[in-house]
Amino acid sequence: DPKIPVLYQVDRTRDGKSFCVRSVKAIQHGQPIFICQASFQKTQPSPIQHQFTMPTVPSPTELLTNEQLINKYLRDPNLAEKYRIGLNKMLAQEVPIEIKPVNPPNLYGKVPQEPKQLFWVRARGYIGECD
């Protein structure tokens, strides 16, 4: 329910020398709607790499939000009516997360795009103190 704030309960599950674990529960209407357990490791030198390096992308301040992109698309007089209806439905939904696409879709498909999407994502509003 986007009209009701989400309460995040964060529990310190484990604090070790190298690793720490946090359990996060998102609650609305007194019921959990999402549960996550995240592990963090202190930076240590290692020959093994378990993830890709961060791609070079524009900072979030340089990008438009989903809502701004939709408004931009809706201003196009050549936009097909079926897209206009779908975009207006998307715009009418309140979403508690701000999403900024790094490589927004090309609605006219004139230029092929790589089948990969990159986003900057953050919660809207205050979510509490960090530790």
Side-chain angles (χ1 to χ4, degrees):
D1 184 353
K3 292 180 176 57
I4 303 297
V6 178
L7 173 67
Y8 294 94
Q9 290 181 340
V10 180
D11 295 319
R12 292 173 177 254
T13 308
R14 180 176 189 279
D15 282 321
K17 291 181 181 179
S18 300
F19 287 90
C20 69
V21 179
R22 299 294 181 261
S23 298
V24 181
K25 188 185 295 186
I27 299 173
Q28 262 188 340
H29 302 290
Q31 298 293 319
I33 59 171
F34 177 78
I35 298 173
C36 170
Q37 193 168 64
S39 298
F40 302 94
Q41 180 181 9
K42 291 183 181 174
T43 304
Q44 299 173 338
S46 171
I48 301 172
Q49 293 296 320
H50 296 285
Q51 66 186 31
F52 297 106
T53 56
M54 171 73 177
T56 304
V57 297
S59 76
T61 58
E62 300 173 44
L63 300 171
L64 298 175
T65 64
N66 265 355
E67 292 82 3
Q68 291 168 325
L69 280 168
I70 289 171
N71 282 318
K72 178 182 167 187
Y73 296 147
L74 289 172
R75 284 193 298 270
D76 184 346
N78 298 320
L79 183 65
E81 188 60 25
K82 67 178 183 179
Y83 293 127
R84 192 172 299 282
I85 291 169
L87 290 172
N88 276 312
K89 283 181 183 178
M90 290 172 63
L91 201 54
Q93 296 175 348
E94 290 185 38
V95 181
I97 298 171
E98 179 182 80
I99 301 171
K100 291 188 173 190
V102 172
N103 51 344
N106 176 357
L107 288 184
Y108 300 105
K110 294 177 182 173
V111 179
Q113 289 185 288
E114 184 180 2
K116 177 168 136 182
Q117 294 181 334
L118 303 172
F119 301 93
W120 284 104
V121 180
R122 71 176 175 181
R124 295 184 193 269
Y126 180 74
I127 60 171
E129 294 295 323
C130 297
D131 53 330

